[in-house]
């Protein structure tokens, strides 16, 4: 009966299993090749040494100059001269008293033979093609790493460790990737859900107004219907615009933040905006998305300001900091996080801007986070104080929330 291996249910588990099996197959092939290469290298070096020693004493035997006790001066310390009857005639000290190291006699037409036996690597050289010619054997003990399979154990252990490391790395990387992906999918799902819910109200109101105008033409003022339809259309347009900004990817570039803030502040009408910008504050980011952040924050300050807005731009501790401060009624501590929730609008905001979408600040914070920065509301002696922090180029420190001065920084003129 065949036992089936259970298949992982999660995508993370499947990717990890696939990567582990693939790395195991590759490592088996690499390990086998490595084992053969190492063995060949060791054997080849050993046989070269034994061939040199055997050749030396083979020449001496042909000239009758082999001593009874053969001296050795290299790692090849096993040397024997064996006659045609299998008797050891001469030997080295380490091979003395031992039987012939091999019974193999090279044939007359092939006088050199490499032999492995009895955990010894030998080179056998027949002195001459004559039938009764003796054979010189020179050998050395096979290294323990080969003899006791230590080499295979080392390669197998390394392969298992590497496979385990690969499985762990795949599990972690896939986990982080799918965590971010699941978070993004969930965020998009929530955005779609809340957007559809938020769109339902203006669409329903618009439909109701138009139906009333058709059903009761004598009782409904066409101008009121048109004005209501335009208001609902404006709200729909604002919601769709904010959703498109949140979903559209844009390239990053080097941006002069002080110049960008000054340009955006110049677009405001109604209340004076005072920009206090330090020079040469540059960041990497999406110009379109950062314009959206600055536009949202400045527009919010404009709606709530009584007499004016102050904008501060500076860099400190590896961060570029933009603080937008209005002199309105401010935002209470209990509501400072709520205003960044999607479609959350405080009563004062709804009164000042009935057509707002409630997405602007939420999307602005998402953009700040996508730039490895933060967008917060901080304490201020009067009004609301929105602070955007973004990392400067070539900085590896995480964004920190150090306070910046409330007083104006000498710099740019009033916009």
């Amino acid at each position: 009966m065949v036992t089936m291996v259970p298949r992982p249910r999660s995508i993370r588990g499947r990717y990890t299993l696939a990567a582990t099996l693939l790395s195991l197959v590759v490592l088996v092939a690499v390990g086998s090749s490595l084992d053969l290469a190492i063995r060949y290298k060791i054997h080849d070096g050993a046989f070269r040494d034994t061939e040199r020693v055997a050749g030396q004493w083979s020449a001496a035997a042909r000239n009758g100059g082999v001593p009874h006790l053969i001296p050795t001066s290299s790692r090849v310390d096993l040397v024997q001269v064996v006659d045609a009857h299998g008797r050891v005639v001469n030997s080295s000290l380490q091979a003395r008293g031992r039987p012939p190291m091999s019974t193999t006699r090279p044939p007359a037409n092939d006088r050199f033979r490499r032999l492995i036996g009895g955990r010894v690597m030998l080179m056998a050289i027949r002195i001459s093609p004559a039938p009764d010619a003796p054979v010189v054997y020179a050998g050395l003990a096979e290294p323990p790493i080969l003899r006791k399979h230590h080499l295979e154990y080392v390669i197998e252990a390394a392969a298992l460790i590497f496979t385990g490391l690969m499985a762990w790395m795949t599990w972690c990387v896939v986990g982080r990737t799918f965590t971010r992906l699941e978070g993004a999918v969930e965020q998009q799902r929530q955005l779609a859900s809340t957007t559809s819910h938020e769109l339902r109200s203006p669409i329903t109101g618009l439909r109701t107004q138009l139906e009333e105008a058709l059903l009761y033409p004598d009782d409904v003022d066409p101008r009121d219907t048109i004005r209501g339809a335009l208001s609902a259309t404006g709200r729909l347009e604002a919601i769709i615009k904010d959703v498109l900004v949140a979903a559209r990817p844009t390239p990053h570039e080097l941006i002069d933040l002080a110049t960008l803030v000054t340009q955006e502040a110049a677009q405001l009408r109604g209340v004076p905006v005072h920009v206090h910008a330090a020079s040469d504050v540059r960041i990497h980011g999406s110009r379109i998305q950062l314009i959206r952040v600055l536009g949202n924050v400045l527009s919010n300050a404009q709606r709530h300001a009584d007499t004016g807005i102050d904008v501060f731009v500076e860099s400190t501790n590896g961060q570029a900091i933009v603080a937008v401060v209005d002199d309105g009624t401010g935002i209470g501590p209990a509501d400072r996080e709520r205003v960044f929730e999607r479609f959350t609008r405080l009563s004062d905001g709804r009164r000042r801007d009935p057509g707002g979408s409630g997405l602007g600040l939420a999307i602005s914070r998402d953009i700040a986070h996508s730039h490895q920065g933060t967008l917060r509301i901080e304490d201020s002696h009067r009004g609301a104080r929105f602070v955007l922090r973004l990392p400067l180029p070539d900085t590896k420190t995480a964004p920190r929330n150090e306070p910046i001065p409330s007083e104006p920084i000498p710099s740019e003129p009033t916009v």
Side-chain angles (χ1 to χ4, degrees), residues 254-274:
L254 188 63
I255 300 172
D256 186 329
L257 192 57
T259 301
L260 187 65
V261 170
T262 302
Q263 292 173 349
E264 289 306 305
Q267 304 298 320
L268 292 185
R269 297 291 182 269
V271 295
V273 181
H274 306 279

Side-chain angles (χ1 to χ4, degrees), residues 180-336:
R180 290 195 296 267
L181 180 60
E182 289 172 0
V185 170
E186 181 61 26
Q187 184 179 14
Q188 294 299 321
R189 184 182 296 114
Q190 291 179 357
L191 177 61
S193 176
T194 52
T195 301
S196 63
H197 176 75
E198 191 69 12
L199 288 173
R200 188 177 296 117
S201 296
I203 291 176
T204 301
L206 178 61
R207 183 182 183 86
T208 300
Q209 291 176 2
L210 295 176
E211 287 178 347
E212 287 180 350
L214 288 175
L215 293 174
Y216 311 104
D218 297 332
D219 299 331
V220 177
D221 186 353
R223 290 182 175 271
D224 291 340
T225 301
I226 294 174
R227 280 194 292 267
L230 287 175
S231 176
T233 302
R235 179 165 173 77
L236 290 172
E237 184 180 13
I239 294 174
I240 293 172
K241 184 176 182 180
D242 285 332
V243 171
L244 289 177
V245 169
R248 183 186 302 124
T250 55
H252 285 205
E253 59 184 288
L254 188 63
I255 300 172
D256 186 329
L257 192 57
T259 301
L260 187 65
V261 170
T262 302
Q263 292 173 349
E264 289 306 305
Q267 304 298 320
L268 292 185
R269 297 291 182 269
V271 295
V273 181
H274 306 279
V275 177
H276 316 278
S279 61
D280 198 27
V281 180
R282 299 177 183 274
I283 61 169
H284 279 291
S286 165
R287 183 177 296 272
I288 294 176
Q289 291 183 346
L290 292 177
I291 286 174
R292 187 60 175 166
V293 173
L294 295 173
N296 285 335
V297 176
L298 288 170
S299 297
N300 182 80
Q302 180 190 38
R303 285 193 298 269
H304 297 85
D306 290 336
T307 61
I309 301 170
D310 285 301
V311 183
F312 306 95
V313 182
E314 69 167 4
S315 60
T316 180
N317 296 326
Q319 292 180 300
I321 302 177
V322 179
V324 178
V325 185
D326 64 64
D327 60 353
T329 57
I331 300 175
D335 294 324
R336 290 181 182 177

Side-chain angles (χ1 to χ4, degrees), residues 99-160:
M101 289 185 288
S102 177
T103 58
T104 300
R105 287 176 55 83
N109 59 351
D110 186 9
R111 296 172 44 234
F112 295 81
R113 282 293 177 88
R114 291 182 174 184
L115 306 171
I116 298 179
R119 298 180 179 177
V120 176
M121 292 183 291
L122 298 170
M123 171 57 73
I125 300 180
R126 189 185 182 112
I127 293 177
S128 69
D132 57 347
V135 176
V136 177
Y137 297 96
L140 53 82
E142 190 176 25
I145 193 172
L146 302 183
R147 184 172 68 245
K148 297 182 179 180
H149 300 289
H150 290 170
L151 177 61
E152 286 77 7
Y153 296 151
V154 170
I155 293 177
E156 289 173 2
L160 290 176

Side-chain angles (χ1 to χ4, degrees), residues 317-319 371-374 389-391 396-402:
N317 296 326
Q319 292 180 300
H371 285 70
Q372 287 75 52
T374 60
R389 288 181 170 83
L390 299 170
K396 297 182 180 179
T397 56
R400 293 178 291 179
N401 296 320
E402 296 87 350

